[in-house]
Amino acid sequence: MANVLRNSAKFGFSGVLSQLSIHSRHGRECVSPCFSLQQRNNSTSPKIKVDLDSSTGVAVLRMQSPPVNSLSLDFLTEFCINLEKLEMDRSCRGLIITSTLSKVFSAGLDIMEMYGKSPERCGEFWKAVQEMWLKLYGSNMATIAAINGSSPAGGCLMSIGCDYRIMVDNPRYSIGLNETQLGIVAPFWFKDTLVNTVGNRAAELSLELGLLYSAPDALKIGLVDQLVPEDQVLSTAQDTMSKWLAVPDHARQITKSMMRKQTIDKLLSNREADITNFVSFITKDSIQRSLRMYLEMLKSRKA
Ligand code: CO8
């Protein structure tokens, strides 16, 4: 443990996760699945926009992938590359994640990435999901989710991967890990992150029933930390960030590592098995049928 803490202090918490890095700390590009996928991405419009204020050391990462900021392989790749760049930039100490879309923070994993895809592609996708969580949950930066819309499933995972959550005070927006409602099971590291956030009992209820909480209910169980009016989400996140950054970085980072390392290590040591599990689960006929029904439900709700 002492070694881990020393290494965390020396290289930063994300340094402990160095085998996952897209780039090395020295800025050299490493061959990684995420990077090669980015090269294959033909889309010209970025799904992520990052503004780093060098006077405050705070970056705002805006998700801008209509209609619902769903986490596709391309989206996750771009997200990870941006996160890694910020992580390597010593001038960046804090990260605020928000959405440019009205009403939606993120709809979670892109269901189309899990429906009718080859096992190889599903494996690639799942590795990118793991990567996103590992980078975010293990980030050296202070991280705040400015949740300005609904945030189900993977959107909730992204939110609870941050250090602090500020949500719009609007009961129409919901957040939660609703996987069971889709007939799928939240993986152990989704569960662990939720338990670390709201405690065991609330997590158990939440996961088994696939509950989506309205913003006020999410505050009640501690799934979010604060509710504010819509037009104050970003400014409140900026104010809150300055409090986080008033704490000496090394002390905050080592403490964060102490709190999160066990959870992160659990996935790191089971990463391949987790991919295998995901692929064999998601490609089952019965699960594919559940996903198709869910997609149809989403479309019919609109009609
Ligand atoms: N993936 C792909 N497409 C989506 C998704 C999604 N997650 N969510 C919405 N869409 C599509 C809709 O089908 C619709 O498409 P179209 O325009 O072609 O009809 C379009 O996006 C717009 O959607 P809505 O009209 O529903 O938009 P609203 O603004 O009314 O509502 C919501 C936004 C609240 C986000 C709503 O779309 C919603 O509830 N979406 C579903 C969210 C959800 O359940 N996500 C779960 C994803 S699974 C996940 O993240 C974790 C999986 C873990 C797997 C573990 C297995 C082992």
Side-chain angles (χ1 to χ4, degrees):
M1 187 64 176
N3 268 347
V4 169
L5 294 182
R6 263 200 304 279
N7 285 341
S8 303
K10 192 170 165 197
F11 302 116
F13 190 21
S14 69
V16 177
L17 309 177
S18 58
Q19 76 260 44
L20 302 167
S21 294
I22 291 167
H23 299 84
S24 77
R25 278 255 155 206
H26 306 292
R28 277 199 316 272
E29 284 170 359
C30 304
V31 179
S32 89
C34 273
F35 188 73
S36 59
L37 283 163
Q38 173 68 8
Q39 289 173 316
R40 286 213 308 268
N41 178 10
N42 294 325
S43 165
T44 49
S45 53
K47 296 172 176 17
I48 308 278
K49 182 173 183 291
V50 177
D51 294 301
L52 171 59
D53 181 338
S54 49
S55 66
T56 59
V58 178
V60 178
L61 182 154
R62 291 180 174 82
M63 300 183 282
Q64 49 175 28
S65 181
V68 289
N69 283 333
S70 61
L71 309 179
S72 63
L73 186 50
D74 286 347
F75 183 104
L76 291 163
T77 302
E78 213 179 301
F79 185 89
C80 285
I81 287 172
N82 277 291
L83 211 57
E84 186 68 16
K85 275 188 196 155
L86 294 172
E87 203 72 62
M88 285 192 304
D89 184 337
R90 299 275 173 194
S91 71
C92 184
R93 300 172 58 218
L95 172 68
I96 295 169
I97 300 178
T98 194
S99 161
T100 60
L101 309 179
S102 65
K103 302 192 294 183
V104 183
F105 180 74
S106 165
L109 304 192
D110 192 320
I111 297 166
M112 297 312 292
E113 294 281 12
M114 300 183 279
Y115 180 67
K117 293 286 190 289
S118 70
E120 292 72 26
R121 169 80 186 198
C122 288
E124 216 172 8
F125 173 63
W126 196 246
K127 190 165 189 176
V129 179
Q130 293 177 333
E131 187 86 7
M132 178 273 287
W133 177 81
L134 287 164
K135 283 194 181 342
L136 188 58
Y137 204 56
S139 174
N140 259 326
M141 296 177 281
T143 52
I144 294 180
I147 309 164
N148 52 344
S150 286
S151 194
C156 176
L157 180 75
M158 188 182 270
S159 304
I160 58 181
C162 292
D163 297 315
Y164 195 80
R165 284 154 289 286
I166 298 165
M167 191 167 182
V168 170
D169 190 2
N170 184 338
R172 289 178 61 192
Y173 297 154
S174 59
I175 181 167
L177 293 180
N178 59 323
E179 279 76 2
T180 52
Q181 294 284 347
L182 285 72
I184 54 182
V185 179
F188 70 87
W189 41 285
F190 284 45
K191 180 265 292 174
D192 289 343
T193 316
L194 187 65
V195 168
N196 293 350
T197 309
V198 300
N200 204 76
R201 179 59 184 151
E204 189 172 54
L205 278 175
S206 168
L207 288 169
E208 287 189 27
L209 296 173
L211 296 178
L212 282 174
Y213 297 86
S214 68
D217 287 345
L219 181 68
K220 274 186 209 143
I221 65 155
L223 185 53
V224 298
D225 298 295
Q226 200 176 342
L227 299 184
V228 296
E230 185 128 25
D231 59 350
Q232 289 168 30
V233 177
L234 204 53
S235 59
T236 308
Q238 299 274 13
D239 291 348
T240 307
M241 184 59 85
S242 58
K243 289 180 198 140
W244 281 75
L245 296 187
V247 177
D249 281 348
H250 71 282
R252 181 185 50 73
Q253 287 161 359
I254 293 169
T255 306
K256 182 171 176 175
S257 171
M258 220 163 40
M259 297 300 295
R260 297 188 172 191
K261 187 178 181 309
Q262 209 183 356
T263 307
I264 288 174
D265 283 351
K266 205 163 135 194
L267 177 59
L268 285 177
S269 54
N270 289 292
R271 209 171 166 183
E272 285 309 317
D274 184 59
I275 294 173
T276 307
N277 280 344
F278 171 77
V279 173
S280 69
F281 181 78
I282 212 73
T283 53
K284 277 190 187 8
D285 286 347
S286 57
I287 302 303
Q288 288 289 306
R289 273 197 301 276
S290 290
L291 288 176
R292 194 186 63 228
M293 280 163 61
Y294 190 72
L295 279 165
E296 281 165 5
M297 184 278 289
L298 278 176
K299 306 256 177 236
S300 66
R301 216 176 45 166
K302 207 172 171 183

PDB file of all heavy atoms in Angstrom, residues 100-114:
ATOM      1  N   THR A 100     -23.949  19.615 -24.141  1.00  0.00           N
ATOM      2  CA  THR A 100     -24.472  20.775 -24.879  1.00  0.00           C
ATOM      3  C   THR A 100     -25.934  20.561 -25.272  1.00  0.00           C
ATOM      4  O   THR A 100     -26.573  21.475 -25.781  1.00  0.00           O
ATOM      5  CB  THR A 100     -23.673  21.020 -26.187  1.00  0.00           C
ATOM      6  OG1 THR A 100     -23.798  19.853 -26.990  1.00  0.00           O
ATOM      7  CG2 THR A 100     -22.206  21.322 -25.923  1.00  0.00           C
ATOM      8  N   LEU A 101     -26.437  19.334 -25.064  1.00  0.00           N
ATOM      9  CA  LEU A 101     -27.803  19.035 -25.510  1.00  0.00           C
ATOM     10  C   LEU A 101     -28.810  19.472 -24.458  1.00  0.00           C
ATOM     11  O   LEU A 101     -28.543  19.371 -23.259  1.00  0.00           O
ATOM     12  CB  LEU A 101     -27.958  17.523 -25.746  1.00  0.00           C
ATOM     13  CG  LEU A 101     -26.901  16.860 -26.636  1.00  0.00           C
ATOM     14  CD1 LEU A 101     -27.188  15.367 -26.755  1.00  0.00           C
ATOM     15  CD2 LEU A 101     -26.857  17.518 -28.006  1.00  0.00           C
ATOM     16  N   SER A 102     -29.960  19.915 -24.936  1.00  0.00           N
ATOM     17  CA  SER A 102     -30.983  20.254 -23.956  1.00  0.00           C
ATOM     18  C   SER A 102     -31.645  18.954 -23.519  1.00  0.00           C
ATOM     19  O   SER A 102     -31.842  18.037 -24.319  1.00  0.00           O
ATOM     20  CB  SER A 102     -32.008  21.216 -24.556  1.00  0.00           C
ATOM     21  OG  SER A 102     -32.696  20.566 -25.583  1.00  0.00           O
ATOM     22  N   LYS A 103     -31.887  18.808 -22.274  1.00  0.00           N
ATOM     23  CA  LYS A 103     -32.628  17.690 -21.672  1.00  0.00           C
ATOM     24  C   LYS A 103     -31.836  16.395 -21.436  1.00  0.00           C
ATOM     25  O   LYS A 103     -32.285  15.538 -20.699  1.00  0.00           O
ATOM     26  CB  LYS A 103     -33.891  17.332 -22.470  1.00  0.00           C
ATOM     27  CG  LYS A 103     -34.881  18.464 -22.631  1.00  0.00           C
ATOM     28  CD  LYS A 103     -36.198  17.954 -23.153  1.00  0.00           C
ATOM     29  CE  LYS A 103     -36.063  17.409 -24.561  1.00  0.00           C
ATOM     30  NZ  LYS A 103     -37.290  16.964 -25.168  1.00  0.00           N
ATOM     31  N   VAL A 104     -30.706  16.234 -22.108  1.00  0.00           N
ATOM     32  CA  VAL A 104     -29.982  14.966 -21.929  1.00  0.00           C
ATOM     33  C   VAL A 104     -28.505  15.214 -21.595  1.00  0.00           C
ATOM     34  O   VAL A 104     -27.813  15.927 -22.321  1.00  0.00           O
ATOM     35  CB  VAL A 104     -30.051  14.078 -23.198  1.00  0.00           C
ATOM     36  CG1 VAL A 104     -29.346  12.755 -22.955  1.00  0.00           C
ATOM     37  CG2 VAL A 104     -31.489  13.826 -23.621  1.00  0.00           C
ATOM     38  N   PHE A 105     -28.057  14.606 -20.495  1.00  0.00           N
ATOM     39  CA  PHE A 105     -26.623  14.591 -20.178  1.00  0.00           C
ATOM     40  C   PHE A 105     -25.994  13.492 -21.039  1.00  0.00           C
ATOM     41  O   PHE A 105     -25.229  13.761 -21.941  1.00  0.00           O
ATOM     42  CB  PHE A 105     -26.444  14.340 -18.675  1.00  0.00           C
ATOM     43  CG  PHE A 105     -25.016  14.288 -18.215  1.00  0.00           C
ATOM     44  CD1 PHE A 105     -24.249  15.446 -18.120  1.00  0.00           C
ATOM     45  CD2 PHE A 105     -24.431  13.080 -17.840  1.00  0.00           C
ATOM     46  CE1 PHE A 105     -22.922  15.392 -17.681  1.00  0.00           C
ATOM     47  CE2 PHE A 105     -23.112  13.023 -17.396  1.00  0.00           C
ATOM     48  CZ  PHE A 105     -22.362  14.185 -17.323  1.00  0.00           C
ATOM     49  N   SER A 106     -26.369  12.258 -20.779  1.00  0.00           N
ATOM     50  CA  SER A 106     -25.996  11.155 -21.673  1.00  0.00           C
ATOM     51  C   SER A 106     -26.991  10.018 -21.501  1.00  0.00           C
ATOM     52  O   SER A 106     -27.362   9.671 -20.379  1.00  0.00           O
ATOM     53  CB  SER A 106     -24.589  10.638 -21.374  1.00  0.00           C
ATOM     54  OG  SER A 106     -24.401   9.374 -22.015  1.00  0.00           O
ATOM     55  N   ALA A 107     -27.405   9.434 -22.626  1.00  0.00           N
ATOM     56  CA  ALA A 107     -28.357   8.303 -22.591  1.00  0.00           C
ATOM     57  C   ALA A 107     -27.667   6.988 -22.269  1.00  0.00           C
ATOM     58  O   ALA A 107     -28.290   5.930 -22.328  1.00  0.00           O
ATOM     59  CB  ALA A 107     -29.081   8.192 -23.925  1.00  0.00           C
ATOM     60  N   GLY A 108     -26.371   7.048 -21.944  1.00  0.00           N
ATOM     61  CA  GLY A 108     -25.665   5.812 -21.604  1.00  0.00           C
ATOM     62  C   GLY A 108     -25.120   5.115 -22.832  1.00  0.00           C
ATOM     63  O   GLY A 108     -25.012   5.713 -23.915  1.00  0.00           O
ATOM     64  N   LEU A 109     -24.812   3.850 -22.660  1.00  0.00           N
ATOM     65  CA  LEU A 109     -24.183   3.130 -23.767  1.00  0.00           C
ATOM     66  C   LEU A 109     -25.086   3.135 -24.989  1.00  0.00           C
ATOM     67  O   LEU A 109     -26.312   3.051 -24.872  1.00  0.00           O
ATOM     68  CB  LEU A 109     -23.889   1.685 -23.361  1.00  0.00           C
ATOM     69  CG  LEU A 109     -23.026   1.483 -22.111  1.00  0.00           C
ATOM     70  CD1 LEU A 109     -22.591   0.032 -22.020  1.00  0.00           C
ATOM     71  CD2 LEU A 109     -21.839   2.412 -22.091  1.00  0.00           C
ATOM     72  N   ASP A 110     -24.462   3.252 -26.126  1.00  0.00           N
ATOM     73  CA  ASP A 110     -25.211   3.239 -27.374  1.00  0.00           C
ATOM     74  C   ASP A 110     -25.726   1.820 -27.606  1.00  0.00           C
ATOM     75  O   ASP A 110     -24.933   0.889 -27.844  1.00  0.00           O
ATOM     76  CB  ASP A 110     -24.298   3.690 -28.523  1.00  0.00           C
ATOM     77  CG  ASP A 110     -25.098   3.969 -29.772  1.00  0.00           C
ATOM     78  OD1 ASP A 110     -26.045   3.202 -30.057  1.00  0.00           O
ATOM     79  OD2 ASP A 110     -24.787   4.958 -30.463  1.00  0.00           O
ATOM     80  N   ILE A 111     -27.024   1.675 -27.525  1.00  0.00           N
ATOM     81  CA  ILE A 111     -27.608   0.330 -27.612  1.00  0.00           C
ATOM     82  C   ILE A 111     -27.309  -0.303 -28.976  1.00  0.00           C
ATOM     83  O   ILE A 111     -27.143  -1.519 -29.086  1.00  0.00           O
ATOM     84  CB  ILE A 111     -29.124   0.382 -27.321  1.00  0.00           C
ATOM     85  CG1 ILE A 111     -29.333   0.878 -25.881  1.00  0.00           C
ATOM     86  CG2 ILE A 111     -29.776  -0.986 -27.493  1.00  0.00           C
ATOM     87  CD1 ILE A 111     -30.744   1.297 -25.555  1.00  0.00           C
ATOM     88  N   MET A 112     -27.179   0.546 -29.987  1.00  0.00           N
ATOM     89  CA  MET A 112     -26.888   0.003 -31.318  1.00  0.00           C
ATOM     90  C   MET A 112     -25.511  -0.671 -31.376  1.00  0.00           C
ATOM     91  O   MET A 112     -25.257  -1.493 -32.244  1.00  0.00           O
ATOM     92  CB  MET A 112     -26.953   1.106 -32.379  1.00  0.00           C
ATOM     93  CG  MET A 112     -28.324   1.735 -32.538  1.00  0.00           C
ATOM     94  SD  MET A 112     -29.653   0.533 -32.667  1.00  0.00           S
ATOM     95  CE  MET A 112     -29.310  -0.209 -34.251  1.00  0.00           C
ATOM     96  N   GLU A 113     -24.630  -0.314 -30.426  1.00  0.00           N
ATOM     97  CA  GLU A 113     -23.311  -0.963 -30.367  1.00  0.00           C
ATOM     98  C   GLU A 113     -23.398  -2.371 -29.782  1.00  0.00           C
ATOM     99  O   GLU A 113     -22.449  -3.144 -29.852  1.00  0.00           O
ATOM    100  CB  GLU A 113     -22.327  -0.152 -29.504  1.00  0.00           C
ATOM    101  CG  GLU A 113     -21.964   1.204 -30.062  1.00  0.00           C
ATOM    102  CD  GLU A 113     -20.922   1.133 -31.176  1.00  0.00           C
ATOM    103  OE1 GLU A 113     -20.633   0.027 -31.673  1.00  0.00           O
ATOM    104  OE2 GLU A 113     -20.411   2.214 -31.543  1.00  0.00           O
ATOM    105  N   MET A 114     -24.555  -2.661 -29.163  1.00  0.00           N
ATOM    106  CA  MET A 114     -24.691  -3.970 -28.511  1.00  0.00           C
ATOM    107  C   MET A 114     -25.681  -4.860 -29.243  1.00  0.00           C
ATOM    108  O   MET A 114     -25.896  -6.002 -28.877  1.00  0.00           O
ATOM    109  CB  MET A 114     -25.163  -3.774 -27.052  1.00  0.00           C
ATOM    110  CG  MET A 114     -24.207  -2.944 -26.226  1.00  0.00           C
ATOM    111  SD  MET A 114     -24.710  -2.793 -24.498  1.00  0.00           S
ATOM    112  CE  MET A 114     -25.934  -1.513 -24.584  1.00  0.00           C
TER     113      MET A 114
END
